[in-house]
Amino acid sequence: MLIVMKQDATPDEIASVVALVASMGYEARPMPGRQRTTVGLVGNDGRVDSSTISGLSGVAEIIHVSKPYKQVSREWKPEPTRIPLPDGTAIGGREVVVMAGPCSVESEEQILAAARAVRAAGATVLRAGAFKPRSSPYSFQGLGKRGLELLELARRETGLLIVTEAMDLEGLELVAETADIIQIGARSMQNYPLLKECGRLRKPILLKRGLAATITELLLSAEYVLSEGNGDVILCERGIRSFDTTTRNLFDLAAIAVVHGLSHLPIVADPSHGTGHRDMVPAMARAAVAAGADGLLVEVHPNPERAMSDGAQSLYPDQFEKMMREVAAIAEVIGRSIATVGSPV
Ligand code: PEP
Ligand code: MN
């Protein structure tokens, strides 16, 4: 429920609304806007008698948020959420942020070569997993803590920001010490204790859509993070299971437009896991930018044949370079640009 205050509502009137909501056992979240303040009532508001609230002085109207997710919805916050990053860029504004790198951190040589290649082609964020959620327990599980140290080294060497995955509660704190953006993988999208803990952090969270999750379920998972106080959630479309095995997953391009309609949160696209084949990645990256994606998450490896995970979908550096030129052209057509460090947002 949203309580919209009158334009001339006084701080005392706002405080009375907050106090009444609190006395009803709910959390009140005042959100000062350009025109007027709105007070969000956080929680399951089905049993709230709104007439007591609408009778208070200074209250203009009560809006019932019809969606199961509340704070994530456009009804709650009509303007897009822009998430600032430490390098001066932002996700969710005019710029499209490109995050690129190998699936996993494998060695110092590999991660530095990958970082330098994606940096040279214009990416601003390095992606790579130190902790890897693999479908088989016998597959490479990542370098763990050593992987995080190598990511820090790559950041020092190149200036790229780091996005890397936290798989569980135990590892979250460790990952948060290194990551500029914390990735929650598709397999963890419904790990609610993990999501709640992400909500207590003050770092952007990249939340990937589950392997068979609906868009509503993705948005409800994001709600877990927001409900704990962290509003900096970046959603990620990475393809879902389908009957057709031609591609690794069915890359749901429409999800980008759907999410932009339903939510104020930014959404980025991962055409690598979305297709599973490197030759399809550039086309889907272009399509995602055309569809309005706020960023791209792309796997690039200096030597894909030797990759310890996801080699078949990892771009060669020269393919990535070409892709960057193409997505820049697409971005321009729709009035956007690819984020570069130091550029205006
Ligand atoms: C990844 O980004 O390498 C990854 C494991 O992705 P997902 O969680 O989407 O499978
Ligand atoms: Mn991968």
Side-chain angles (χ1 to χ4, degrees), residues 3-7 9 14 29-40 58 60:
I3 304 149
V4 184
M5 302 301 294
K6 290 182 181 154
Q7 240 168 348
I14 296 169
R29 203 162 281 176
M31 297 177 283
R34 233 173 291 147
Q35 301 279 337
R36 51 196 183 173
T37 293
T38 337
V39 180

Side-chain angles (χ1 to χ4, degrees), residues 103 127 132 248 273 299 310 313:
C103 180
R127 65 136 293 145
K132 294 304 300 179
R248 180 178 176 184
H273 293 84
E299 289 187 341
D310 287 349
Q313 67 193 33

Side-chain angles (χ1 to χ4, degrees), residues 102-104 127-129 131-134 165 183-188 206 208-209 211 236-239 248-249 270 273-274 297 299 309-310 313:
C103 180
S104 315
R127 65 136 293 145
F131 296 93
K132 294 304 300 179
R134 304 305 302 283
E165 177 163 354
Q183 178 171 326
I184 299 298
R187 290 158 192 78
S188 301
L206 180 95
K208 299 189 88 174
R209 183 175 180 183
L211 303 162
C236 179
E237 168 56 40
R238 48 79 73 206
R248 180 178 176 184
N249 288 294
D270 172 354
H273 293 84
L297 186 72
E299 289 187 341
S309 58
D310 287 349
Q313 67 193 33

Side-chain angles (χ1 to χ4, degrees), residues 21-335:
V21 169
S23 74
M24 292 169 154
Y26 293 92
E27 190 195 329
R29 203 162 281 176
M31 297 177 283
R34 233 173 291 147
Q35 301 279 337
R36 51 196 183 173
T37 293
T38 337
V39 180
L41 187 150
V42 181
N44 184 352
D45 58 15
R47 291 183 313 276
V48 176
D49 175 10
S50 55
S51 62
T52 22
I53 304 173
S54 55
L56 288 183
S57 72
V59 174
E61 65 171 319
I62 307 266
I63 299 176
H64 291 276
V65 179
S66 58
K67 300 287 187 301
Y69 40 86
K70 307 290 173 194
Q71 299 183 54
V72 157
S73 73
R74 280 265 180 207
E75 290 163 279
W76 188 275
K77 179 171 178 279
E79 68 281 5
T81 287
R82 186 179 159 276
I83 301 174
L85 299 176
D87 62 359
T89 65
I91 298 193
R94 207 182 68 83
E95 296 188 309
V96 176
V97 175
V98 180
M99 310 177 220
C103 180
S104 315
V105 185
E106 298 169 7
S107 67
E108 177 173 331
E109 192 192 4
Q110 174 251 16
I111 197 65
L112 288 180
R116 288 187 182 119
V118 301
R119 175 90 183 87
T124 52
V125 183
L126 176 65
R127 65 136 293 145
F131 296 93
K132 294 304 300 179
R134 304 305 302 283
S135 298
S136 163
Y138 307 116
S139 301
F140 175 59
Q141 304 284 309
L143 296 183
K145 196 168 181 315
R146 173 76 187 135
L148 295 177
E149 287 163 9
L150 292 176
L151 285 171
E152 284 175 17
L153 174 67
R155 177 170 48 203
R156 282 198 300 278
E157 292 280 316
T158 61
L160 289 168
L161 301 180
I162 303 294
V163 58
T164 193
E165 177 163 354
M167 274 173 48
D168 47 37
L169 281 173
E170 296 71 46
L172 182 60
E173 212 174 308
L174 198 63
V175 168
E177 282 170 23
T178 298
D180 297 292
I181 303 172
I182 300 166
Q183 178 171 326
I184 299 298
R187 290 158 192 78
S188 301
M189 190 204 84
Q190 287 178 314
N191 182 339
Y192 300 121
L194 183 61
L195 296 175
K196 283 189 184 176
E197 206 48 46
C198 285
R200 293 175 198 129
L201 298 174
R202 289 292 160 268
K203 284 248 162 126
I205 307 296
L206 180 95
L207 178 62
K208 299 189 88 174
R209 183 175 180 183
L211 303 162
T214 64
I215 293 172
T216 300
E217 286 163 343
L218 172 65
L219 294 173
L220 280 167
S221 288
E223 186 81 14
Y224 267 90
V225 183
L226 268 75
S227 69
E228 293 294 329
N230 185 357
D232 289 349
V233 175
I234 303 153
L235 302 167
C236 179
E237 168 56 40
R238 48 79 73 206
I240 46 172
R241 275 287 159 79
S242 92
F243 55 84
D244 191 339
T245 52
T246 319
T247 53
R248 180 178 176 184
N249 288 294
L250 184 69
F251 187 49
D252 184 5
L253 263 183
I256 297 165
V258 173
V259 164
H260 277 149
L262 296 174
S263 175
H264 52 83
L265 293 176
I267 178 162
V268 304
D270 172 354
S272 308
H273 293 84
T275 60
H277 302 275
R278 77 171 64 84
D279 290 343
M280 299 171 192
V281 171
M284 289 300 101
R286 296 193 302 265
V289 171
D294 299 295
L296 294 171
L297 186 72
V298 181
E299 289 187 341
V300 181
H301 196 288
N303 192 348
E305 294 82 31
R306 306 277 305 272
M308 294 169 86
S309 58
D310 287 349
Q313 67 193 33
S314 299
L315 297 180
Y316 290 95
D318 60 338
Q319 273 183 306
F320 178 65
E321 209 248 43
K322 181 164 179 282
M323 187 209 89
M324 285 297 280
R325 278 185 273 120
E326 293 168 351
V327 294
I330 301 278
E332 199 186 326
V333 171
I334 57 166

